[in-house]
Structures are given as C-alpha cells and as structure tokens.
Amino acid sequence: MGPIKTALSLIPSFRHSGSKIAYEELPSHDMSHASSPLDESPILSDSWRKGLSAPRRRLGFTLRTSPRRLFIVALAVFFTLVFIAGGSFRVRRYYTEKAKAEERIPYHWELYPRLNGFYNGVRSLVKYSDWVPEQQAAPKTKIEIHKAPPLDPVSVNPYPDFSSEEYLKEHHPVQRCYVDDNEKYPAPDIFAYPGIPAGMTAPYWGSYESLGIAPDKCWERFGRFGPYGYSYNPSEGGLGLANKTARAGADKVLEMFTKVDYRNVNWGKAQKTCFEKNKKRFEPEEAAGNDEGATGQKKTVKRSAYVLRTWTGYKYSDIQLLSLRAMINELSLKSGGEYDVHLLVHVKDDKIPIWSSEEVYNQTLRENVPEEFWDMTTLWSEQLMRLYYPGPFRDEDNVENHSKSDIHGVYRSAHFALQWFAQQHQEYESFWNWEMDLRYTGHYYEFHNGVSNWAAEQPRKLLWERSSRFWIPGIHGSWAKFSQLVERETVERNEKPVWGPVEFPTSGLGRISPPNETTPPTTMEEDDYQWGVGEDADLIVFDPLFDPAKTNWVFRNDVTGYNTSLETPPRRAAIITVARLSKRLLNTMHEETYRTHHTMFPEMWPPSVALHHGYKAVYAPHPVYFDRKWPLDVMDKIFNYPSAPQESPFAWGEHNMQGGSFYYNAGFSGALWRRWLGAKENGEGGKKMEKSGSDRMCLRGMLYHPIKTESIEN
C-alpha cells in the first residue's frame, strides 16, 4: 500500500489527517468544466470513490492463478500507478494554472516602495526646522531614538486671544464655558508635541500652512484624548483605555490636565448654557437698549451647526466617545458657543411614528443614543421625508436610477434630512455635514476654522476650475503657482470657465432664479481676481469638484425632476458627502426639492445647485497622505490628467485611492488610525513593537476616512 498511498497523496481530492482520509469537494461534472483535464481523469471514477477494500480482495484471488496471469496483473498494476501519477500531475497542473488565472494582478501603485515614517514615535522627535520628509531622506538614513521624548508637550490654543485688547475692540467678551452644571470642570485643553518624528512622511496633497494649521506639531494619543477620559479609569469618570499601552513621556502629559468626571455629563445642556452665556456675541441687537452705540461697533460672530449623521442601531464605542467629546469641547465649549454639535439620527424602521408621539420619539431616542448626547439629538426617518417632500418624483423624470433605490431612501437622498434640519434651525449661518466614520488627529477648531477662513479668501475667478484638481505641492509648487497653471491650461484648452450662475434649458416647473448677488459685477476678463475675496463659501468639500459627465462614475445620471427629453443639466460632484453648506445653499436646495421636485444623487446635489445658482463652492486642499512612494509625475498624470473617462480616479481609476488617507475606499486610512491608537494591524504595531522602537506614533493633523473599525491593544 506504500506506493499507492504515495500516489494518492499527490491527488488534491484527498486530504490526510493522521491515518484518516477525507474528501474535499471537486468540480462537478457539467458542461462548464468541459475544458478541464478532470473530465477525462480516472481519479473521479466510482471505483476510486468506493475505497480500496474490494480491489485488494480481488488481487489476492489473482495471486493464486498462473504465472502468466501474475505477469499480466503486475503489468496492469505498473501501468495503473503510472496512470495515477500522470493523472495527479495533470490535476496539480490544472489547479496551479487555475490559481494563476485567478491571482489578482497588483495595481501599479502596489509596486512602489512602502513608506514607514508614519510609525516613528515620540522618542524620535526633532524640531520642525530639522525635519527631513521620508520621501526626501537619503537611503538607509538612521534616526536617533532617545530614552524619552526629547521635547516636552505643550497646550494647544488655536483660538483668537479672546481677552486681548485688540479682540475686545471689535467683539464682545467671551465667557468661559464648563463641561458640568456645577462649573467644576472648565472646558479642557489638549496637548501636542512641538516637533515631528524624524523621518516622518510628508503629505502628497494639500498644505497645512495654506489652511492656517500649525505644521510643526504632532499628536499622540495621551495628549489628544487623555483629557477626554482615555488615560484614566472609569472609577474616576474616564474610560480606562490606556492601561496596556506604551507610555514614554505620558506622565508629563497627565500632569498637565485635571481629570474630568464624564459620568453625568449632559452635552446638550452644556452647549446651550455656553451659548446663553455668550449670546451677545451672536445677537448684538439684544443689547441695543443698554448701550446702543457700543453695540453697533461690535462685530457679530456667525454660528455653525456641526451635524453628525448617525442612525438607530449605531454602536457608540468608548473609542468613538473620545472623538465625539473632542468635537463638542473644541468646537463649541472652548470657542464660546461658535458651533453647536448635533446628532441627526436616522430611524431606520419606518413603522415607528416618531412624528406623532412624544413618548415614542423619546423612547426611540433613549434606546439608540448614549445618555450624554440625548439633549443634542434630532430623529428623522424616511417616512418623515415622504411627508415633508411629497413630490411627485416621477420615474419618467429620472435620467437613470442606477442603484434602483427609492428616491426618499437615505442612499439616494441623504440631503433631504439635512435640508429639513436646516429649515428648523435658521439661526445657523452654515451647516457641517459630518459622517460618523471620519476621524481627525489634530485640533477640530484649528482645522474647521482654518478651512473656513481659507475658503473665504479665495477669489471666484477660475475657482471651479482650481477646485476640480488635486494640488500636489511637490510638483505644482505653491498655491499661487498652481493657480497660474490652472489659468494657463484653461486658456490653452479653450475651455469655458464657470462665471456666475450656469444657464441650461429646462421646462415643466422650470427653475428657481439665482439671487442677484451671484451675478458677476464684471466680465471675467475685467476681474483681477477680486470678486469673491472675503466672501464666505457656500460650499466647502474635501475632494475635488469634478464634472461627472466626463467620467463613468456610476451615479452621474441619477438626476430627477428635469425634462429628460432635453439635455441633462450641467452638474458637479464631490465624492463623500462631508461638506460645509451655507444656509442660503441649503434653503435653495430645499426650494428646488419642494417646489420644482428637483434632486440628484447626494454627492452631486449640493455642488450642482451651487453651480446652477452661482454660489461660491470650493475644494479645500487639506493634507492627504499615501502609504507608498509615488513618483510625482505619475501621481499628477493619474489624478489630474486621466487618459480616458473610465480612468478617472472618481470612476474605475478609484483603486488609486486605496493607499490614501482620505476617500470612500481608502483602506490605508483605517489601518493608520488603528496603529496610531496603539493597536496591532497586519501583524505590526502594538505595545511590544512600540516599546522596542521609538514608542507611540505622533502624527500631524490628518483627516481619516473611512474608519469602519477602531481598536486598542487589550
């Protein structure tokens, strides 16, 4: 049996487990396998499937016969073994060739060298002036690792100096806000290191300096999240997430803040109290009776709603709580009420009548949202949207419903709920639509205020054209040089730039007229990049505003309510619905939907309404990182000059985004975030590796998307 057993071991249809043999499923015999060598292989015959006992008994009977028969049997056995060996070879070759055929060919970017500077930690810090980006460092450059962080953490305060004489000349005083009702815990500070790990990777897109974000600081988890309960135990009101983590230099951070007991915090009430304390800043007319002259000289501070899009059944993990607390503290409490953070919760069960019963509403809220957020939460449902936007939205008025989804469903009309929410809250000048799978390592106020201020300073001339491309400073140079490039190429291509509201043919219910103030004051040729400077943007997005008609993006034709016998209206889109929208843009979107029954796919609707009505829209070039060392000319060509519509990074070329830190399919984003939190990822990271290296990662402010899972080392 030895030779037979050896021969059988070569056949993939058998698996040995000790002395037992078990079958594995083989391809079935049907016409789909007509080209397979298994179709003619004897190993699939019924005699082999029945086992070896019967042939063995027959062989014993034959041995008692004549030498001639014995010779014939021996010859038969020999050829049988040869046949088995040959068959097994064919089977192995078949499976090898099949595996090769099914093996995925690596994308071009997967062949580029991996960048590892992200993982250098706090014991390798250098001053920003001494930092050499990993992409520019000499090969095999060694970094110096110290016994402890060579720099001390500092408190980060990106707010205006509210107590300065200069500020108070133009604004009302800012009153301090607290986390708790008893005003025991002032809104806490957070901490960063005034340097960057040696050899840290540089972003490929965007700029810190342009957006007013400090480029010379890095954030590790104790300074970023310690004040929100990361580093102390539940018995003290914390979350106890740092008990099994590398902690070089962490004691210095812990000495810099007071532990806040978060067990009985009511964030909605804290925000409301903060606003009431600082009401004069936002509604100066109320003080007119007391000091009319002084009040008239003070600037009114605009308020924003920061709307987090969540849903029933969402799991609020302890790690998620850190980010939520950070948003509320840094955007609302520390700013003296400039922002209000809201949870806008989608009730997925349409049978729950949240609009008809306060008791049902409150029960649904309490069953699906942590108690600390109850008083800052608003519920909505698709059924409520059907009542609010009854349409009709006729199928014949839709160009193409690629997803085959209901027009009131969140997949096709997530903006309906935001439009509805904005109608209930006209006290805000702008609304940030923020997804629950975004994270940011830096300071929220610094990022959002920096983005807003940068957008306000952008002139309208060629703004749509600049916003349609990725700014890669390594090849384009400064923002000014990039702007000059866009102007030159627009002229060379003989393209017609966007200048004011876009006209297009329509019929039926027509279109709502754009406001007078969006009409350009001069021709584009006469404008010296002045129109729009100092004007708040109506739309700020975080990926380019591209023309979907020039790509094969699958949702480019999900356009509803326009006459389909006419040319489809011009449109723009920005992948991921994260954005800041002005009150007037959302009001116009609401009017378009309610009065004229117009709508488009969520990533396309706000940009297209802005395009049609001449509103100011901009792509904010925030820093985006990649996990591979891309050649800059290749990156520019692929992302800014795709060779065909299907090669667009917003179409079939989207695989190029997988190694980035921000896009809907950016796989590197989640991996990097979990490593920053101290978790193991793909067999790397974790406490042991951090302690044996340069300790905890310390990254500059970075926007991560999507974060589908979060973890720490347990």
Side-chain angles (χ1 to χ4, degrees), residues 136-414:
Q136 300 174 17
K140 298 183 180 179
T141 299
K142 291 186 178 180
I143 64 173
E144 183 179 2
I145 299 178
H146 305 266
K147 291 184 178 180
L151 302 173
D152 290 332
V154 296
S155 172
V156 177
N157 180 14
Y159 306 93
D161 186 352
F162 293 137
S163 61
S164 70
E165 183 179 348
E166 182 182 0
Y167 184 86
L168 294 174
K169 279 183 180 179
E170 298 183 334
H171 301 87
H172 287 286
V174 176
Q175 305 300 321
R176 174 180 286 188
C177 296
Y178 293 80
V179 172
D180 62 317
D181 291 346
N182 298 324
E183 298 193 348
K184 178 180 179 181
Y185 301 111
D189 292 328
I190 60 174
F191 309 90
Y193 280 98
I196 299 176
M200 172 58 61
T201 317
Y204 276 96
W205 301 342
S207 165
Y208 290 98
E209 293 88 343
S210 292
L211 298 182
I213 300 170
D216 57 353
K217 294 181 177 63
C218 73
W219 304 82
E220 51 76 49
R221 47 192 183 264
F222 277 90
R224 182 69 186 89
F225 285 145
Y228 302 121
Y230 166 78
S231 54
Y232 51 99
N233 293 321
S235 60
E236 302 173 285
L239 296 170
L241 300 175
N243 297 328
K244 296 182 179 180
T245 185
R247 51 191 308 123
D251 289 342
K252 285 189 176 181
V253 179
L254 299 178
E255 292 170 357
M256 297 176 74
F257 66 86
T258 300
K259 297 175 182 177
V260 176
D261 187 346
Y262 287 100
R263 284 174 290 188
N264 296 306
V265 168
N266 181 331
W267 290 111
K269 189 174 182 181
Q271 291 187 94
K272 184 177 181 180
T273 300
C274 186
F275 166 70
E276 292 295 336
K277 276 187 172 185
N278 291 282
K279 203 169 185 179
K280 280 187 178 181
R281 301 178 65 207
F282 314 109
E283 302 174 358
E285 65 277 6
E286 289 194 1
N290 299 327
D291 194 355
E292 184 173 355
T295 300
Q297 300 171 6
K298 303 294 184 180
K299 289 183 178 179
T300 301
V301 177
K302 298 175 182 178
R303 302 191 73 217
S304 296
Y306 198 74
V307 185
L308 297 166
R309 305 298 298 271
T310 182
W311 55 90
T312 52
Y314 183 85
K315 303 300 181 184
Y316 297 83
S317 69
D318 284 350
I319 305 175
Q320 171 83 84
L321 293 182
L322 295 171
S323 290
L324 293 175
R325 292 171 179 175
M327 294 172 188
I328 299 167
N329 180 64
E330 293 157 29
L331 291 172
S332 180
L333 303 188
K334 293 289 286 184
S335 73
E338 291 180 22
Y339 293 76
D340 273 340
V341 181
H342 296 263
L343 294 184
L344 185 56
V345 180
H346 174 205
V347 179
K348 298 171 73 173
D349 187 349
D350 261 352
K351 296 188 293 294
I352 300 177
I354 55 173
W355 61 87
S356 64
S357 165
E358 184 176 353
E359 181 181 355
V360 170
Y361 185 99
N362 289 333
Q363 180 182 350
T364 305
L365 167 64
R366 291 168 182 166
E367 289 175 352
N368 289 281
V369 177
E371 186 173 357
E372 60 187 284
F373 306 119
W374 284 356
D375 287 350
M376 49 177 275
T377 297
T378 301
L379 306 183
W380 71 279
S381 68
E382 293 174 8
Q383 184 58 34
L384 180 60
M385 293 303 102
R386 292 185 183 94
L387 297 173
Y388 198 72
Y389 293 118
F393 301 99
R394 304 183 307 173
D395 290 342
E396 54 267 35
D397 292 334
N398 173 260
V399 179
E400 181 189 13
N401 178 7
H402 179 83
S403 66
K404 310 301 181 186
S405 301
D406 177 30
I407 191 65
H408 288 95
V410 68
Y411 190 73
R412 290 182 67 204
S413 297

Side-chain angles (χ1 to χ4, degrees), residues 633-655:
D633 57 337
V634 174
M635 174 172 276
D636 188 32
K637 182 178 183 297
I638 284 178
F639 288 100
N640 286 322
Y641 306 97
S643 58
Q646 65 270 21
E647 295 301 323
S648 166
F650 312 113
W652 292 350
E654 64 188 13
H655 66 82

Side-chain angles (χ1 to χ4, degrees), residues 306-599:
Y306 198 74
V307 185
L308 297 166
R309 305 298 298 271
T310 182
W311 55 90
T312 52
Y314 183 85
K315 303 300 181 184
Y316 297 83
S317 69
D318 284 350
I319 305 175
Q320 171 83 84
L321 293 182
L322 295 171
S323 290
L324 293 175
R325 292 171 179 175
M327 294 172 188
I328 299 167
N329 180 64
E330 293 157 29
L331 291 172
S332 180
L333 303 188
K334 293 289 286 184
S335 73
E338 291 180 22
Y339 293 76
D340 273 340
V341 181
H342 296 263
L343 294 184
L344 185 56
V345 180
H346 174 205
V347 179
K348 298 171 73 173
D349 187 349
D350 261 352
K351 296 188 293 294
I352 300 177
I354 55 173
W355 61 87
S356 64
S357 165
E358 184 176 353
E359 181 181 355
V360 170
Y361 185 99
N362 289 333
Q363 180 182 350
T364 305
L365 167 64
R366 291 168 182 166
E367 289 175 352
N368 289 281
V369 177
E371 186 173 357
E372 60 187 284
F373 306 119
W374 284 356
D375 287 350
M376 49 177 275
T377 297
T378 301
L379 306 183
W380 71 279
S381 68
E382 293 174 8
Q383 184 58 34
L384 180 60
M385 293 303 102
R386 292 185 183 94
L387 297 173
Y388 198 72
Y389 293 118
F393 301 99
R394 304 183 307 173
D395 290 342
E396 54 267 35
D397 292 334
N398 173 260
V399 179
E400 181 189 13
N401 178 7
H402 179 83
S403 66
K404 310 301 181 186
S405 301
D406 177 30
I407 191 65
H408 288 95
V410 68
Y411 190 73
R412 290 182 67 204
S413 297
H415 48 277
F416 280 7
L418 187 65
Q419 294 171 187
W420 166 78
F421 179 85
Q423 291 301 301
Q424 321 306 313
H425 292 282
Q426 292 288 292
E427 68 270 24
Y428 301 115
E429 292 300 318
S430 60
F431 298 77
W432 294 83
N433 191 63
W434 216 247
E435 297 179 1
M436 297 298 284
D437 57 356
L438 264 83
R439 300 293 181 271
Y440 186 63
T441 36
H443 196 292
Y444 277 104
Y445 186 90
E446 182 180 41
F447 178 79
H448 289 81
N449 246 39
V451 165
S452 300
N453 292 337
W454 178 86
E457 292 308 309
Q458 299 311 301
R460 280 174 167 264
K461 186 174 182 177
L462 295 175
L463 184 57
W464 284 96
E465 289 69 31
R466 292 194 298 278
S467 294
S468 68
R469 309 185 192 194
F470 295 95
W471 172 34
I472 308 173
I475 197 168
H476 298 141
S478 66
W479 178 256
K481 290 184 177 179
F482 173 68
S483 300
Q484 292 169 4
L485 171 69
V486 173
E487 180 179 26
R488 184 173 65 252
E489 291 189 345
T490 302
V491 172
E492 290 173 352
R493 296 174 181 177
N494 198 28
E495 295 177 345
K496 183 180 179 182
V498 176
W499 190 241
V502 174
E503 296 293 333
F504 57 91
T506 186
S507 64
L509 295 175
R511 57 179 293 192
I512 298 171
S513 299
N516 292 332
E517 59 266 26
T518 64
T519 300
T522 67
T523 65
M524 177 174 283
E525 292 73 22
E526 294 173 323
D527 179 73
D528 189 22
Y529 287 93
Q530 293 301 311
W531 185 39
V533 174
E535 176 190 14
D536 286 339
D538 291 286
L539 179 65
I540 303 174
V541 297
F542 298 93
D543 270 317
L545 288 157
F546 68 98
D547 183 350
K550 296 180 180 179
T551 75
N552 68 339
W553 181 50
V554 295
F555 303 113
R556 64 190 179 279
N557 291 321
D558 196 348
V559 177
T560 298
Y562 300 88
N563 189 335
T564 54
S565 67
L566 300 174
E567 183 180 354
T568 305
R571 51 214 183 277
R572 295 293 185 271
I575 303 300
I576 307 176
T577 57
V578 175
R580 193 193 80 168
L581 302 88
S582 69
K583 177 169 63 176
R584 74 170 179 176
L585 172 58
L586 279 164
N587 286 346
T588 303
M589 291 164 59
H590 165 72
E591 290 294 314
E592 288 269 8
T593 302
Y594 182 76
R595 288 174 49 193
T596 62
H597 313 152
H598 292 164
T599 186

